[in-house]
Amino acid sequence: NAGVTQTPKFQVLKTGQSMTLQCAQDMNHNSMYWYRQDPGMGLRLIYYSASEGTTDKGEVPNGYNVSRLNKREFSLRLESAAPSQTSVYFCASTRDSIQAFFGQGTRLTVV
Amino acid sequence: DAKTTQPPSMDCAEGRAANLPCNHSTISGNEYVYWYRQIHSQGPQYIIHGLKNNETNEMASLIITEDRKSSTLILPHATLRDTAVYYCIANNAGNMLTFGGGTRLMVKP
């Protein structure tokens, strides 16, 4: 049982480049989340998907887009990366918003 | 979500109970109290949750005051591996989870 899998684990981008962070869960959960965590800070919610085909903005959605194409997968896209988006990105899923399961994170550096 | 307030840091001696407080004075009747922790730079890990009654599982105990305005997470015998940031969240089930600053617990030998 893999739980929540994020790819890639590490990425370095140049300013202006685009990339997609992938997240997949195998627990048949309805809700999925994307968070970012800057050094020494707490987690901030970027986007949230309550179910397949639905997405909602969180606290810090600017500069990001998301896709929930099916129940398993929730991707986060940076269209034009900026140094301010250097962070650790966590994906999470939950059946009922009570017990959330997190991936191991994607460490992104934008230079 | 109800706002939660936690001390930024706490120390605990190894083998002793760690008692982590959380204030949530504006919590509404149907909002749960959840606790998560984040060890080093790993993804957060669910610990426990409760609505009104005290709860216990294999990881911890959760004590919620009768007026529900505050709660305490208890790690009965803290180990060095319990060193982490602990997050208290007050939220309706089904709503998106938002995290505050948490309490950085340092367990010392």
Side-chain angles (χ1 to χ4, degrees):
Chain A
N1 190 348
V4 179
T5 303
Q6 293 183 234
T7 55
K9 289 185 171 51
F10 300 92
Q11 183 72 48
V12 178
L13 287 179
K14 293 182 179 178
T15 297
Q17 285 186 317
S18 62
M19 79 161 295
T20 300
L21 282 64
Q22 306 286 353
C23 176
Q25 52 92 8
D26 61 4
M27 296 171 283
N28 202 36
H29 286 167
N30 290 322
S31 301
M32 297 186 73
Y33 306 81
W34 276 106
Y35 293 89
R36 63 176 287 176
Q37 187 171 34
D38 299 335
M41 306 290 287
L43 285 84
R44 292 185 292 171
L45 182 65
I46 306 172
Y47 269 96
Y48 162 67
S49 171
S51 61
E52 180 182 345
T54 68
T55 60
D56 288 292
K57 294 179 180 179
E59 303 165 83
V60 288
N62 292 343
Y64 304 95
N65 287 303
V66 290
S67 295
R68 181 81 184 274
L69 295 177
N70 53 57
K71 197 169 188 179
R72 286 189 68 245
E73 298 170 298
F74 189 36
S75 62
L76 179 72
R77 183 159 178 85
L78 288 70
E79 291 291 351
S80 178
S84 60
Q85 294 178 304
T86 292
S87 192
V88 181
Y89 291 83
F90 289 103
C91 176
S93 74
T94 175
R95 177 175 55 85
D96 51 13
S97 294
I98 290 178
Q99 183 171 358
F101 294 82
F102 284 78
Q104 287 305 298
T106 294
R107 283 148 183 78
L108 175 68
T109 301
V110 183
V111 298
Chain B
D1 303 0
K3 179 177 165 54
T4 60
T5 304
Q6 300 177 252
S9 64
M10 292 182 63
D11 290 344
C12 177
E14 188 178 19
R16 298 286 204 165
N19 296 284
L20 292 93
C22 179
N23 268 302
H24 32 78
S25 57
T26 61
I27 195 169
S28 64
N30 54 356
E31 285 185 312
Y32 286 81
V33 178
Y34 309 83
W35 284 84
Y36 283 77
R37 74 179 182 183
Q38 187 175 25
I39 296 174
H40 193 42
S41 51
Q42 298 176 19
Q45 175 190 26
Y46 165 85
I47 301 173
I48 198 167
H49 75 280
L51 185 61
K52 296 181 181 178
N53 300 322
N54 298 336
E55 302 288 345
T56 295
N57 63 20
E58 66 278 4
M59 291 181 67
S61 295
L62 173 61
I63 309 298
I64 302 174
T65 58
E66 193 169 341
D67 63 7
R68 302 206 330 118
K69 292 185 177 182
S70 66
S71 60
T72 301
L73 179 75
I74 301 172
L75 308 178
H77 305 286
T79 71
L80 299 179
R81 287 179 293 181
D82 292 321
T83 291
V85 178
Y86 288 78
Y87 296 99
C88 170
I89 302 168
N91 194 8
N92 286 312
N95 282 2
M96 60 185 80
L97 291 173
T98 55
F99 289 75
T103 295
R104 187 172 298 275
L105 176 69
M106 180 73 72
V107 180
K108 297 184 175 181

